[in-house]
């Protein structure tokens, strides 16, 4: 098996198909709001918050599904760890680019309809057309969510129920990244209670915190999988 190129390509193709279907759904919702209600905010901004959970799932699957597969085909754990890091480092900006393209296409639709594309929450960018800032924000966010998912996936793969202990650490990584872009994390089971860390807002700090969170997450994942035994699928 060619790794990481095959795994990376498979994830990119799948993400692109999901994005296309998701964008069509968002457009349909947008048209419905414009016809039956008042359209004065970006629907894409609200809808893409669910993509963070997709990024989390990618991280979980990276370890739980692909670690045993590639080790069984001759990869060492060290090789898998290094190449998985490359995969995440390339896949996260790809997802970020899809988010930026979604904003640009939405801008075209809103301009044609003569509707304002206002943003409803804090961002690094003030306008959806500020593509570099859009890319940076979602890159920092996706890197954190993917490595958090990989950490939790590794924890449950190695310790089964004991993997619950990795969840607060994964949440901490995500909260740190969200703080770097000036927003907060809201989890369904915590109701309206936000998880937030307030950091000074600067582009350099955002990039540094994002990179630091990513590297810290990789180190934690490696600490879990470096000598993890392979498990039988039925165990």
């Amino acid at each position: 098996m060619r790794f990481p190129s095959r795994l990376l390509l498979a994830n990119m193709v799948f993400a692109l198909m999901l994005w296309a279907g998701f964008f069509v759904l968002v457009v349909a919702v947008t048209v419905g709001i414009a016809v039956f209600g008042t359209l004065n905010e970006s629907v894409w901004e609200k809808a893409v918050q669910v993509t963070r959970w997709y990024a989390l799932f990618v991280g979980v699957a990276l370890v739980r599904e692909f670690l045993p597969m590639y080790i069984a085909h001759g990869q060492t754990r060290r090789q898998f760890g290094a190449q998985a890091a490359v995969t995440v480092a390339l896949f996260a900006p790809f997802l970020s680019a899809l988010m930026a393209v979604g904003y640009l296409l939405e801008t075209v639709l809103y301009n044609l309809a003569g509707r304002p594309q206002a943003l409803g929450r804090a961002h690094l960018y003030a306008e959806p057309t500020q593509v570099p800032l859009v890319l940076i924000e979602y890159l920092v966010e996706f890197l954190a969510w993917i490595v958090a998912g990989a950490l939790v996936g590794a924890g449950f793969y190695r310790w089964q129920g004991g993997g619950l202990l990795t969840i607060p650490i994964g949440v901490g990584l995500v909260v740190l990244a969200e703080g770097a872009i000036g927003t907060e994390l809201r989890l369904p089971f915590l109701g309206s209670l936000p998880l937030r860390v307030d950091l000074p807002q600067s582009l350099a700090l955002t990039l540094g915190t994002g990179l630091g969170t990513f590297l810290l997450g990789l180190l934690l994942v490696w600490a879990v999988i470096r000598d993890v035994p392979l498990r039988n699928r039925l165990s």
Side-chain angles (χ1 to χ4, degrees):
M1 289 189 177
R2 296 181 62 189
F3 186 80
S5 58
R6 179 173 294 181
L7 177 60
L8 177 62
L9 179 61
N11 275 288
M12 284 181 169
V13 171
F14 185 61
L16 184 59
M17 292 189 297
L18 286 179
W19 175 87
F22 184 65
F23 183 78
V24 170
L25 177 62
V26 172
V27 170
V29 172
T30 303
V31 171
I33 295 174
V35 172
F36 300 106
T38 302
L39 182 64
N40 54 19
E41 288 186 329
S42 169
V43 178
W44 183 252
E45 176 203 27
K46 294 177 173 58
V48 296
Q49 293 185 54
V50 303
T51 60
R52 302 177 301 180
W53 297 98
Y54 169 69
L56 184 79
F57 168 78
V58 169
V60 171
L62 186 64
V63 175
R64 288 191 61 85
E65 300 299 323
F66 294 105
L67 171 65
M69 180 190 305
Y70 281 93
I71 289 179
H73 283 79
Q75 292 280 338
T76 67
R77 288 159 182 77
R78 183 179 297 276
Q79 288 173 324
F80 176 86
Q83 295 169 354
V86 172
T87 299
V88 175
L90 295 177
F91 184 62
F94 176 76
L95 285 182
S96 304
L98 293 181
M99 299 303 102
V101 170
Y103 268 125
L104 294 177
L105 292 177
E106 185 188 60
T107 299
V108 173
L109 294 176
Y110 275 56
N111 287 341
L112 290 175
R115 300 299 177 92
Q117 193 187 11
L119 299 174
R121 64 187 183 91
H123 293 281
L124 290 179
Y125 47 94
E127 300 289 339
T129 52
Q130 294 176 320
V131 175
L133 293 178
V134 172
L135 291 174
I136 291 172
E137 174 169 321
Y138 285 102
L139 175 61
V140 170
E141 197 167 49
F142 286 140
L143 285 175
W145 281 78
I146 294 174
V147 295
L151 177 60
V152 173
F156 276 96
Y157 183 81
R158 176 159 192 161
W159 299 303
Q160 297 183 320
L164 287 169
L165 297 175
T166 62
I167 293 179
I169 303 174
V171 170
L173 293 173
V174 169
V175 170
L176 184 59
E178 297 291 343
I181 60 177
T183 186
E184 60 195 19
L185 175 66
R186 292 180 180 270
L187 297 175
F189 51 84
L190 292 180
S192 60
L193 178 64
L195 299 176
R196 184 183 185 94
V197 55
D198 292 316
L199 297 174
Q201 295 302 296
S202 74
L203 191 56
L205 182 61
T206 297
L207 290 170
T209 303
L211 178 59
T213 302
F214 175 54
L215 294 177
L216 176 59
L218 291 180
L219 288 174
L220 292 172
V221 173
W222 173 243
V224 177
I225 69 171
R226 63 189 303 269
D227 57 353
V228 63
L230 293 186
R231 291 189 176 277
N232 188 295
R233 281 284 188 180
L234 299 178
S235 64

